[in-house]
Amino acid sequence: MEEIQADIPFTSRYSMTQQRFTGKNAVRFDQIEEQEIRETVGEIRLENPRLSCHDVNVFYGDKQAIRGINLDIGHNEVIAMIGPSGCGKSTFLRCFNRMNDTISNCRVTGKIMMDGQDINGTVIDPVALRVRVGMVFQKPNPFPKSIWENVAYGPRIHGLAQTKDGIHEIVVKSLQQAGLWDEVKDRLHQPGLGLSGGQQQRLCIARTIAVNPEVILMDEPCSALDPIATGKIEELIDTLRKNYSICIVTHSMHQASRISDRTAYFHLGHLVEVGETKTVFLNPLHPLTEDYVTGRFG
Amino acid sequence: MESSMDKRLKKRYAADRRFRIYGLSAVAISLLFLSLLFISIIGKGYTAFQQTSVLLDVYIDPEMLDPEGTGDRALLSSADFGALIKQAMRKAFPEVTARRDKRALYRLLSSGAEFELRNQVLAHPEQIGTERSIWVPADGSVDMLMKGAISRDTAESDRPLKDKQLVWIDALSSQNRLKKKFNTTFFTAGDSRDPELAGIWGALVGSILTLFVTLLLSFPIGVAAALYLEQFAPRNRWTDLIEVNINNLAAVPSIVFGLLGLAVFINFFGFPRSAPLVGGLVLSLMTLPTIIIAGRAALKSVSPSIYEAALGVGASPMQAVMHHVLPMAMPGIMTGTIIGMARALGETAPLLMIGMVAFIVDIPGSILDSSTVLPVQIFLWADSPERGFMERTSAAIMVLLLFLIIMNASAVILRKHFERHR
């Protein structure tokens, strides 16, 4: 315990909860379930964050899906969001590029700051925001067009290059970055839907990085893929962290432990614990986290 | 245990086979009725594509056409060509002298014969003063006799051709002066009181103009409405109300739309009656709900993940819809449009109300001219007492069906084109 505490910057909130949960299984899981307000344990704030959430709530109609989340996301870090189904991690992820706007009865409150501006405010346009915060979805969803067209679409509508050659350059670069170039360079003008599932997902990643975002959101990108394709995506994430901040929602705890720098554990709309991945998996501070990562439930 | 399982399995297979037989027989019955329909229409109508003509030796008398030899076309076109035709008939049958008999003799030829002669003379003025053999259309009753629709065995008082006329027809026939030729009139002329001069072209052009107006109005408006309602409109009481109303509109009897068109477009706006413009407007009102409903269904069937993907790379909602959702929904929207247009093509009732049932001889030149349409023409001909209109009714149905097939085929080709570019 001593070593871990030394790694974690103390906040008043942390010290409080720390005291409460001293000793493993000191408080039983079912007792915690009853508590309405749950404080997050672990390192919430970072120095110089890329994205910073302050008391974010999400409502679907009357139902509250996300309850008062505070979290920072740093530069060039991979943060994994784990938790049982329905815990709100995907909903939370979709707050970052305002994808929840497309759901008619969905309401987001609280502040999400990006470079000193609230992305839910009036200064930042959601369309412009989505260029800076790209997204890769659970199911590979390439456009029903050619491979080239799939990657070229974003740069073209944003006018990132004026000539066709310029666009082509971006397409080549993005496909190379996504590790797909060697596999598709001879069939760029064939339909994107003709690729295998893993290739399609990498095509979607290439499409996302083609518009040069700062943050990439990934919503369970490997849940529809086999282990080999998953391995390739994980390698890709490892290379992408040099240039981008990556938030990845995953159901696989192994994946989270393999690829992420930090891990956030969600439970019923609460952010229960966040910290260095190693800490969260090996020495979780919160009993709920421990139950989940050790496979006792979830 | 084993045997009861086997028994049940056998029963299930038997039920399977029975079901397949039901399906097959349903298809067979519908095919049977379809072929019966085609056989009856083609059997009744194919004769209309031929028309009996008479070879007549006409002396193109300059004394009667152009006594002063001016060569003036206006004078020539108003000259009395009927007299020349009558002269030629009298020369062919010099034994006919009584006035009544002469009139009966002239009636063997169609009233269109003189127009045929006039057209030829106007095209070749150098033929004036010579004797020419030209084919002129025979009267409808002669045509019917040649096609066997009038029997010689019926009593003289019961048939349109009298015994004397039959003798003359036989005389012409024995001289090889009576022949069935391809009926070009049917494909180039407008309506006429005489079946041998009546054609489908006027109604066909009227149908094309009307459908053109319908498509031009209902497709863009229908697609825009479907797009707005499906992609952009908020879900609330008002949009629900609109949806219910659109669904109800699709089921409104078409004659109601005709009355609406009469009251609004003709009486209030003062648009010309019998015009393809008004017909097109009325049919658009009728087609719109079909296109909107089909369009919404097609848009709904596009996976939302495509819309999200487009938003994810920073497309605006408008771009996401226009670049990705709409193209994917296009084949479905086209199918709805085909159904709507096919219904509009066959629609008669609302067009009766706006005056497209009028007897119109001229070929319409624009959407403001008076015209009729194919189904109304069929209705008019089916109502005519002359024997010759019966075969023309069937022939017009064939033209209507062919038009429908061409329209649908081109739409299918267009749809395939869109599907390929997905």
Side-chain angles (χ1 to χ4, degrees):
Chain A
M1 283 306 273
E2 287 297 320
E3 292 159 24
I4 296 159
Q5 278 176 14
D7 287 341
I8 300 166
F10 269 74
T11 63
S12 59
R13 186 179 288 132
Y14 168 63
S15 55
M16 241 177 63
T17 48
Q18 224 282 327
Q19 280 163 13
R20 217 195 297 166
F21 298 124
T22 307
K24 285 180 187 172
N25 301 331
V27 183
R28 277 184 47 223
F29 164 66
D30 47 355
Q31 288 173 316
I32 291 167
E33 197 79 327
E34 287 157 14
Q35 291 175 354
E36 249 315 300
I37 311 295
R38 193 172 282 133
E39 305 287 343
T40 306
V41 296
E43 38 180 338
I44 296 165
R45 298 284 167 223
L46 297 171
E47 260 178 60
N48 186 24
R50 175 149 256 162
L51 281 163
S52 176
C53 308
H54 299 274
D55 197 27
V56 173
N57 294 288
V58 180
F59 301 87
Y60 291 117
D62 297 333
K63 200 178 146 266
Q64 188 169 5
I66 295 290
R67 294 164 190 270
I69 289 185
N70 291 286
L71 183 67
D72 279 359
I73 289 158
H75 288 82
N76 302 343
E77 80 163 350
V78 177
I79 179 164
M81 299 178 182
I82 58 169
S85 296
C87 67
K89 51 197 189 305
S90 289
T91 301
F92 182 61
L93 190 76
R94 290 164 65 98
C95 291
F96 291 125
N97 65 347
R98 291 187 59 178
M99 215 47 151
N100 287 326
D101 288 12
T102 60
I103 300 164
S104 61
N105 65 346
C106 183
R107 196 159 52 83
V108 181
T109 66
K111 269 198 208 162
I112 301 174
M113 307 299 287
M114 187 176 191
D115 297 339
Q117 283 174 324
D118 184 5
I119 65 166
N120 289 320
T122 49
V123 184
I124 296 187
D125 181 76
V127 171
L129 172 72
R130 290 182 196 128
V131 180
R132 295 170 67 188
V133 184
M135 187 156 193
V136 178
F137 296 85
Q138 182 171 4
K139 228 181 100 205
N141 56 355
F143 298 131
K145 297 184 172 174
S146 74
I147 294 167
W148 192 89
E149 282 288 334
N150 259 286
V151 186
Y153 180 69
R156 194 185 291 147
I157 58 172
H158 299 304
L160 297 187
Q162 304 313 318
T163 60
K164 205 177 169 186
D165 289 340
I167 299 271
H168 185 69
E169 213 171 285
I170 297 175
V171 170
V172 173
K173 212 182 97 200
S174 307
L175 285 171
Q176 279 169 344
Q177 257 189 296
L180 195 61
W181 174 247
D182 291 330
E183 291 160 58
V184 301
K185 64 183 175 202
D186 300 324
R187 45 170 176 159
L188 284 177
H189 294 285
Q190 280 172 25
L193 287 168
L195 297 173
S196 74
Q199 287 173 325
Q200 283 187 23
Q201 196 60 296
R202 276 181 285 152
L203 178 63
C204 291
I205 294 174
R207 180 176 70 186
T208 304
I209 56 186
V211 294
N212 205 14
E214 297 161 33
V215 181
I216 300 176
L217 310 174
M218 296 187 177
D219 189 357
E220 296 180 41
C222 302
S223 65
L225 305 182
D226 67 61
I228 294 168
T230 302
K232 281 191 176 157
I233 301 266
E234 287 179 7
E235 275 171 41
L236 175 58
I237 291 171
D238 200 46
T239 57
L240 290 177
R241 83 168 82 211
K242 291 189 202 85
N243 302 313
Y244 310 97
S245 302
I246 296 172
C247 304
I248 178 167
V249 166
T250 176
H251 264 139
S252 156
M253 278 175 283
H254 290 114
Q255 185 172 56
S257 65
R258 277 195 300 268
I259 58 176
S260 67
D261 302 311
R262 286 202 305 159
T263 297
Y265 173 68
F266 287 76
H267 187 87
L268 295 174
H270 293 278
L271 176 56
V272 173
E273 178 168 351
V274 60
E276 298 243 336
T277 298
K278 207 167 43 171
T279 320
V280 171
F281 279 98
L282 298 180
N283 296 90
L285 298 171
H286 199 289
L288 274 176
T289 317
E290 189 184 342
D291 285 350
Y292 186 73
V293 298
T294 53
R296 234 168 285 171
F297 81 96
Chain B
M1 186 69 196
E2 182 87 27
S3 69
S4 83
M5 183 77 189
D6 281 353
K7 237 188 237 162
R8 214 170 327 147
L9 208 58
K10 245 182 220 153
K11 249 186 174 168
R12 275 154 63 183
Y13 278 124
D16 238 33
R17 270 195 302 277
R18 261 203 314 280
F19 189 76
R20 237 183 327 215
I21 290 167
Y22 295 153
L24 259 175
S25 42
V27 171
I29 287 169
S30 47
L31 279 180
L32 180 76
F33 279 106
L34 196 66
S35 48
L36 271 179
L37 176 84
F38 276 119
I39 288 168
S40 111
I41 288 172
I42 294 172
K44 274 185 195 148
Y46 80 98
T47 48
F49 298 120
Q50 285 197 320
Q51 166 69 38
T52 309
S53 293
V54 179
L55 187 66
L56 210 56
D57 298 327
V58 187
Y59 174 59
I60 306 174
D61 191 352
E63 285 300 310
M64 290 176 78
L65 298 178
D66 190 11
E68 274 116 64
T70 52
D72 182 14
R73 283 183 73 86
L75 188 75
L76 211 55
S77 64
S78 62
D80 188 3
F81 287 95
L84 287 184
I85 297 280
K86 285 174 184 166
Q87 202 180 47
M89 280 302 266
R90 281 200 302 273
K91 219 169 81 189
F93 295 95
E95 70 278 13
V96 180
T97 49
R99 265 187 80 201
R100 281 183 85 165
D101 289 352
K102 276 190 205 165
R103 278 225 296 278
L105 180 65
Y106 301 150
R107 272 207 294 276
L108 291 184
L109 291 183
S110 163
S111 58
E114 55 183 287
F115 301 113
E116 189 74 38
L117 179 64
R118 188 180 69 182
N119 288 344
Q120 174 156 350
V121 172
L122 283 176
H124 306 281
E126 73 278 3
Q127 291 179 356
I128 295 174
T130 61
E131 192 178 72
R132 293 275 155 181
S133 299
I134 65 165
W135 287 100
V136 293
D139 187 65
S141 50
V142 178
D143 190 40
M144 286 297 104
L145 181 81
M146 296 302 286
K147 287 169 181 170
I150 294 174
S151 166
R152 287 165 187 259
D153 301 334
T154 43
E156 188 181 8
S157 57
D158 288 349
R159 68 178 123 81
L161 292 170
K162 306 303 164 200
D163 289 344
K164 272 183 190 159
Q165 288 174 308
L166 290 182
V167 174
W168 298 326
I169 290 167
D170 291 340
L172 284 171
S173 191
S174 62
Q175 293 167 39
N176 266 340
R177 286 179 173 271
L178 215 51
K179 213 170 124 188
K180 279 191 274 184
K181 299 171 89 176
F182 181 70
N183 188 359
T184 45
T185 311
F186 184 72
F187 295 101
T188 54
D191 199 5
S192 169
R193 291 282 180 233
D194 301 317
E196 73 274 11
L197 299 177
I200 198 72
W201 183 240
L204 189 65
V205 172
S207 265
I208 291 170
L209 289 174
T210 307
L211 284 185
F212 180 70
V213 173
T214 308
L215 185 68
L216 219 61
L217 285 172
S218 60
F219 185 69
I221 297 177
V223 172
L227 265 182
Y228 178 74
L229 287 174
E230 199 53 46
Q231 299 287 338
F232 299 107
R235 293 263 173 277
N236 58 28
R237 212 181 311 158
W238 294 110
T239 44
D240 283 350
L241 193 72
I242 289 171
E243 187 170 348
V244 169
N245 273 303
I246 288 173
N247 290 342
N248 280 342
L249 271 185
V252 167
S254 52
I255 189 113
V256 177
F257 286 107
L259 281 168
L260 181 87
L262 176 64
V264 175
F265 298 127
I266 294 180
N267 289 346
F268 186 73
F269 286 115
F271 288 158
R273 60 185 70 223
S274 311
L277 172 66
V278 180
L281 282 167
V282 168
L283 293 178
S284 315
L285 289 180
M286 220 189 65
T287 316
L288 261 176
T290 316
I291 295 182
I292 294 174
I293 292 168
R296 289 190 67 175
L299 287 168
K300 208 176 277 181
S301 71
V302 175
S303 160
S305 71
I306 294 298
Y307 180 69
E308 289 197 327
L311 289 189
V313 293
S316 67
M318 186 74 190
Q319 284 174 323
V321 169
M322 285 302 175
H323 295 166
H324 300 287
V325 180
L326 187 60
M328 283 186 78
M330 217 48 195
I333 296 176
M334 301 271 309
T335 308
T337 310
I338 296 166
I339 293 170
M341 294 304 284
R343 200 183 142 198
L345 174 66
E347 202 54 71
T348 321
L351 302 180
L352 301 183
M353 302 312 300
I354 56 157
M356 291 191 98
V357 73
F359 172 71
I360 289 143
V361 178
D362 294 327
I363 314 290
S366 80
I367 55 169
L368 295 173
D369 291 348
S370 290
S371 82
T372 187
V373 291
L374 285 169
V376 176
Q377 188 69 79
I378 291 166
F379 167 73
L380 284 171
W381 283 353
D383 225 22
S384 299
E386 284 87 352
R387 197 70 175 72
F389 278 124
M390 204 181 101
E391 53 174 28
R392 277 170 177 75
T393 305
S394 296
I397 293 172
M398 280 191 257
V399 171
L400 178 67
L401 289 179
L402 191 74
F403 187 24
L404 195 71
I405 290 168
I406 291 171
M407 211 170 83
N408 285 1
S410 51
V412 168
I413 291 167
L414 258 174
R415 199 174 63 190
K416 281 268 148 55
H417 174 83
F418 273 111
E419 272 169 358
R420 209 175 316 126
H421 285 267
R422 285 184 141 192

